[in-house]
């Protein structure tokens, strides 16, 4: 049974890596990095953890490609034709992988680390959907710090529509978590964690990233870390 599960995981990860490279979603190095991180996520999160990883990847890819021609005309399309690098993969899934490893290493605290893993993906998904879809459907764009009108696409600029898309992304991750680990108040915790992580990303973007003190990858990593920590705090306090 264990060999069957291991074979299934390797098959899923291998298929995902191959597809991502052939479809132009990831560079070869990024695909290899994603496969390694996916293995760590499975160690502590099982197939539930992999489902959240897959959901983030598929939603992020779809959102990045949505109305791509319009984004290119407006200068909002991602660099390198949207193909993610290894650094971007670590920025978005590194915290989840560390949480998966911790869950496997300290099984007595597995529940807390699995929730932290889900919180990091909730934040990553919220940030991606908020920025990619907000740039298309937003009507007014505001600086997260001053709440004054600002330029669409700049770091730290948000819209109501984009923020709501981010909340929906967090809710989807919360649903996937609950399907694997059980329904309860964790759903609300994860939506909260994803939303706070997304807002933290915007604050960092409006400050340290605009000042060129942090790279976009660093900001994304901190976004997922905030989401994971908030989910973990909800668990320990609640």
């Amino acid at each position: 049974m264990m060999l069957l599960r291991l074979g299934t995981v390797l098959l899923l990860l291998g298929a995902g890596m191959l597809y991502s490279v052939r479809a132009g979603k990831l560079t070869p190095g990024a695909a290899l990095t994603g496969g390694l991180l996916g293995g760590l996520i499975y160690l502590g999160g099982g197939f539930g953890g992999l489902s959240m990883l897959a959901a983030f990847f598929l939603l992020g890819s779809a959102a990045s490609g949505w109305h791509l021609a319009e984004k290119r005309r407006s200068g909002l399309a991602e660099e390198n034709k949207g193909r993610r690098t290894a650094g971007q993969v670590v920025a978005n899934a590194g915290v989840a992988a560390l949480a998966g490893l911790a869950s496997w290493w300290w099984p007595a605290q597995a529940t807390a680390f699995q929730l932290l893993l889900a919180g990091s993906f909730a934040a990553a998904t919220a940030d991606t959907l908020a920025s990619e879809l907000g740039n298309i459907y937003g009507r007014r764009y505001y600086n997260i710090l001053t709440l004054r009108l600002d330029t669409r696409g700049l770091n730290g600029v948000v819209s109501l529509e984009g923020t709501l898309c981010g909340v929906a992304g967090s809710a989807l991750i919360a649903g996937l978590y609950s399907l694997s680990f059980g329904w309860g108040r964790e759903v609300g915790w994860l939506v909260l964690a994803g939303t706070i992580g997304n807002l933290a990303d915007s604050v960092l973007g409006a400050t340290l990233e605009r000042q060129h003190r942090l790279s976009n990858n660093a900001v994304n990593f901190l976004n997922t870390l905030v989401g994971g920590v908030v989910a973990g705090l909800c668990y320990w306090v609640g």
Side-chain angles (χ1 to χ4, degrees):
M1 188 65 178
M2 182 178 295
L3 289 177
L4 178 61
R5 288 171 63 90
L6 179 60
T8 301
V9 170
L10 292 176
L11 180 63
L12 289 173
L13 291 176
M17 292 164 62
L18 181 62
Y19 163 77
S20 65
V21 173
R22 292 179 65 88
K25 305 298 182 182
L26 299 177
T27 65
L32 178 59
T33 302
L36 293 174
L37 295 183
L40 294 178
I41 289 169
Y42 173 77
L43 270 181
F47 287 108
L50 288 183
S51 73
M52 288 181 271
L53 171 62
F56 164 70
F57 174 72
L58 293 174
L59 283 173
S61 297
S64 297
W66 189 249
H67 287 229
L68 183 58
E70 179 181 345
K71 291 176 182 176
R72 285 175 175 167
R73 286 194 300 270
S74 304
L76 299 171
E78 293 187 356
E79 298 179 357
N80 198 25
K81 297 182 179 180
R83 179 179 289 186
R84 264 67 170 189
T85 64
Q88 288 172 306
V89 171
V90 172
N92 286 296
V95 170
L98 291 174
L101 180 61
S103 175
W104 172 76
W105 193 261
W106 292 291
Q109 300 296 326
T111 300
F113 285 118
Q114 287 163 353
L115 193 63
L116 195 152
L117 185 158
S120 71
F121 275 132
T125 305
D127 171 50
T128 300
L129 296 189
S131 59
E132 294 292 344
L133 299 182
N135 282 334
I136 296 298
Y137 296 111
R139 295 185 178 182
R140 295 186 178 182
Y141 299 88
Y142 302 91
N143 185 294
I144 187 69
L145 297 179
T146 65
L147 299 183
R148 294 178 179 175
L149 292 174
D150 207 337
T151 305
R152 175 177 65 160
L154 288 183
N155 296 323
V157 174
V158 300
S159 68
L160 174 61
E161 294 81 5
T163 301
L164 292 176
C165 287
V167 172
S170 296
L172 177 61
I173 296 297
L176 290 174
Y177 171 88
S178 298
L179 286 174
S180 299
F181 302 105
W183 294 87
R185 52 186 176 175
E186 291 84 0
V187 171
W189 293 348
L190 290 174
V191 173
L192 176 66
T195 302
I196 291 178
N198 181 31
L199 294 176
D201 183 283
S202 297
V203 171
L204 290 171
T207 54
L208 298 180
E209 190 173 3
R210 281 202 189 189
Q211 298 165 6
H212 305 290
R213 296 184 180 182
L214 284 180
S215 66
N216 182 254
N217 284 349
V219 170
N220 286 338
F221 183 86
L222 291 173
N223 158 43
T224 61
L225 181 61
V226 169
V229 169
V230 170
L233 287 175
C234 287
Y235 173 81
W236 283 305
V237 173

